[in-house]
Amino acid sequence: MKYDVFISYSTCDQKVADDICAYLEKNGIKCFIASRDIPAGVAFADYIVKALKESSMMVVVCSKNANVSEHIPREVGLASNEKKHILPFLIEDVPLAGNLQYYLVLNNQVKAFPKPEEHFEFLCQNVRKLLGIKKDNGPTDAVEQLRLGDKYAMTQDWAQAIKWYRKSSEQGNADAQFNLGWCYKNGYGVPKDLVQAVELYRRSAEQGNAAAQNNLGICYENGDVVPKDLVQAVELYRKSAEQGNAAAQNNLGVCYEYGAGVPENLEQAVELYRKSAEQGHPFGQFNLGVCYENGDVVPKDLSQAEYWYRESAEQGNVNARKALDRLTK
């Protein structure tokens, strides 16, 4: 074959198509793209048919522009008739329409919105797989490795997710260290290993990752692997909460409410519950609801209590559901 990939796109999406072409070719995948490869003076339609026959597969840039394009459905139809692999690359959250829906509804899709460029590496990996290209060391940049791990995690391909999180983590990427620690904590793609999880949380937390600080704080509060140390837990929750982490704000609020590792301060607890609740955290919402129901610091207000219980219950909080049922009987 003369080309590995035929790129089908609307001229309104030219920039994305050009960037896809450049990225794939940088990784050794030869592309056909009409704007560059059709010589002047030749019959457009004839050359498209020829290029499709000479391509191993097709990538379709899908968008609202593609849905109203005259050319893309024809190109996709030809590729389907030629039994080519077709990989839709969705750059907008819009459903496929018309013939595109007919031809592409059963195809695996790369969802690449709202920032298509963040999904080029995942596209490249899928293209390589469809082309049967075995040798691929993948990206060397830690951020790209993290993004690729996230993409595999979204499809629950945990073996691949772990592979890329580990590569990124070994380069010191704090987000990857947290994600890998979370996988070890929960047994996703690796056997459960709380010792490994805590070590990865610590590396990430020391770089300022708010989620890792919160999770490491939980380990200190519960005495998981590390000695139980409420003062250390509070310090980590505080660092995370100051970065706006809603879970840490709730956890720190609980410490203030019950005087765990810090002097009891219900006013401070309620303020932290409110910050957490307003970010949509279900436990922060529930705890704020309790404060309104009991009149703790805030005036007793059952309508506010009901509101926050409902917000929490809708996210699956069983205790909030029970409290809501009790108030609304």
Side-chain angles (χ1 to χ4, degrees):
M1 289 289 179
K2 185 174 179 180
Y3 305 103
D4 295 312
V5 175
F6 181 106
I7 301 176
S8 181
Y9 62 97
S10 163
T11 53
C12 296
D13 299 322
Q14 179 80 53
K15 175 65 166 58
V16 176
D18 286 341
D19 290 346
I20 289 171
C21 181
Y23 193 94
L24 293 178
E25 293 195 334
K26 182 179 73 174
N27 285 275
I29 298 169
K30 177 62 177 171
C31 298
F32 171 86
I33 186 164
S35 59
R36 180 192 67 187
D37 294 324
I38 297 183
V42 304
F44 178 87
D46 291 344
Y47 207 91
I48 288 290
V49 172
K50 179 174 180 290
L52 266 169
K53 288 181 179 294
E54 294 176 343
S55 300
S56 296
M57 64 169 291
M58 171 183 280
V59 168
V60 186
V61 180
C62 296
S63 66
K64 62 180 181 294
N65 298 317
N67 281 340
V68 297
S69 168
E70 295 181 9
H71 298 292
I72 295 176
R74 295 173 189 164
E75 292 170 356
V76 170
L78 287 169
S80 180
N81 291 339
E82 291 284 331
K83 300 188 180 341
K84 308 282 187 184
H85 288 299
I86 305 173
L87 184 58
F89 187 75
L90 282 64
I91 64 171
E92 293 177 330
D93 189 10
V94 295
L96 300 172
N99 287 349
L100 291 186
Q101 184 180 38
Y102 174 80
Y103 284 115
L104 302 180
V105 67
L106 297 179
N107 292 61
N108 290 330
Q109 302 173 353
V110 176
K111 294 182 179 179
F113 43 83
K115 296 181 179 180
E117 65 278 4
E118 293 184 357
H119 303 267
F120 287 168
E121 180 57 35
F122 190 66
L123 171 67
C124 185
Q125 293 290 324
N126 277 272
V127 167
R128 284 182 173 276
K129 188 181 295 185
L130 291 172
L131 291 173
I133 300 174
K134 301 296 183 184
K135 186 178 180 180
D136 175 29
N137 294 325
T140 57
D141 179 76
V143 174
E144 287 293 333
Q145 290 168 340
L146 170 65
R147 286 175 179 165
L148 189 54
D150 287 342
K151 290 294 292 184
Y152 279 115
M154 287 172 62
T155 61
Q156 298 188 351
D157 186 343
W158 293 108
Q160 284 294 316
I162 291 292
K163 170 185 172 181
W164 293 109
Y165 285 154
R166 195 183 304 282
K167 286 179 179 288
S168 182
S169 176
E170 288 169 354
Q171 294 195 64
N173 185 287
D175 292 337
Q177 289 166 342
F178 168 75
N179 290 353
L180 186 57
W182 183 86
C183 290
Y184 272 111
K185 170 69 167 60
N186 296 285
Y188 285 102
V190 288
K192 285 187 178 182
D193 188 336
L194 197 52
V195 174
Q196 275 278 49
V198 168
E199 177 58 26
L200 286 158
Y201 287 159
R202 189 185 307 284
R203 291 182 198 170
S204 181
E206 287 173 353
Q207 295 190 70
N209 182 283
Q213 290 166 339
N214 177 66
N215 284 20
L216 185 59
I218 293 171
C219 294
Y220 274 107
E221 182 176 0
N222 296 333
D224 294 333
V225 178
V226 294
K228 186 169 183 176
D229 187 335
L230 293 178
V231 173
Q232 183 70 8
V234 166
E235 180 182 348
L236 287 159
Y237 289 152
R238 192 184 309 283
K239 287 180 178 179
S240 182
E242 287 172 353
Q243 295 190 67
N245 185 284
Q249 289 166 341
N250 175 71
N251 291 342
L252 185 58
V254 172
C255 292
Y256 272 112
E257 181 174 358
Y258 295 100
V262 70
E264 185 177 317
N265 186 330
L266 196 52
E267 289 81 5
Q268 189 71 15
V270 171
E271 178 61 23
L272 285 158
Y273 291 154
R274 187 180 305 283
K275 288 180 179 178
S276 178
E278 288 175 350
Q279 291 195 74
H281 193 274
F283 295 121
Q285 292 167 337
F286 171 73
N287 287 335
L288 184 59
V290 171
C291 294
Y292 274 112
E293 183 177 3
N294 296 335
D296 295 332
V297 178
V298 293
K300 186 169 183 175
D301 187 333
L302 295 185
S303 64
Q304 277 291 305
E306 180 181 339
Y307 171 81
W308 289 112
Y309 286 153
R310 190 178 306 281
E311 290 289 303
S312 181
E314 287 176 355
Q315 297 191 67
N317 188 311
V318 175
N319 289 331
R321 179 76 261 170
K322 291 176 180 177
L324 184 61
D325 289 344
R326 185 183 68 248
L327 280 187
T328 55
K329 277 184 178 179

